[in-house]
Amino acid sequence: MDAADRGDPPLLLVVDAANVVGSVPDGWWRDRRGAAERLRDRLAADGLPGHDGPVEIVLVVEGAARGVQSVPGVRVEPAPGSGDDHMVELVAGAGERPVLVVTADRELRRRVQGLGAEVTGPRTVRPG
């Protein structure tokens, strides 16, 4: 019996869009919104590589990427202020649900781990 059969909530995957996009110097700074949209589309197509169970994917965007829209499989959350603060709020609101945050930001990692989230780096969702 897997997690879905037991009625367990799906893994909440919170992705730090700015940090993941910025992890590869591919010219993202010329089109921040387009880079976030490409990441969103990759997440929608690939999900969380190596994870077989159900996943709810939340892509947190800020700045010029705030206009990126959600698509089936990926909910886009525009941060009203600090993207890091918004991700911490999402983790804090998850309760007992399992949470995985994708970021390389050391301070954000510390903050969400203090709330019980697991953390992984950008390469988990963006090879290269």
Side-chain angles (χ1 to χ4, degrees):
M1 182 183 301
D2 66 15
D5 293 334
R6 290 190 307 266
D8 293 346
L11 172 69
L12 177 61
L13 180 67
V14 179
V15 181
D16 181 349
N19 190 268
V20 172
V21 165
S23 69
V24 177
D26 62 0
W28 59 264
W29 51 89
R30 290 188 294 270
D31 181 11
R32 294 171 194 261
R33 181 176 174 158
E37 288 171 339
R38 287 187 296 278
L39 174 59
R40 176 205 60 200
D41 295 346
R42 186 178 329 50
L43 290 166
D46 299 342
L48 177 58
H51 183 80
D52 294 328
V55 178
E56 178 185 352
I57 302 172
V58 178
L59 181 65
V60 176
V61 296
E62 57 189 316
R66 279 197 184 102
V68 173
Q69 299 296 308
S70 296
V71 296
V74 179
R75 184 175 88 231
V76 177
E77 287 263 341
S82 159
D84 290 3
D85 289 347
H86 191 64
M87 286 180 272
V88 169
E89 289 172 12
L90 289 170
V91 171
E96 296 298 314
R97 181 177 184 185
V99 180
L100 177 62
V101 176
V102 180
T103 187
D105 182 295
R106 288 183 185 161
E107 177 61 16
L108 177 58
R109 291 171 79 98
R110 183 193 64 73
R111 291 173 68 190
V112 298
Q113 285 174 323
L115 295 169
E118 296 291 322
V119 179
T120 189
R123 287 188 183 181
T124 302
V125 296
R126 183 174 184 164

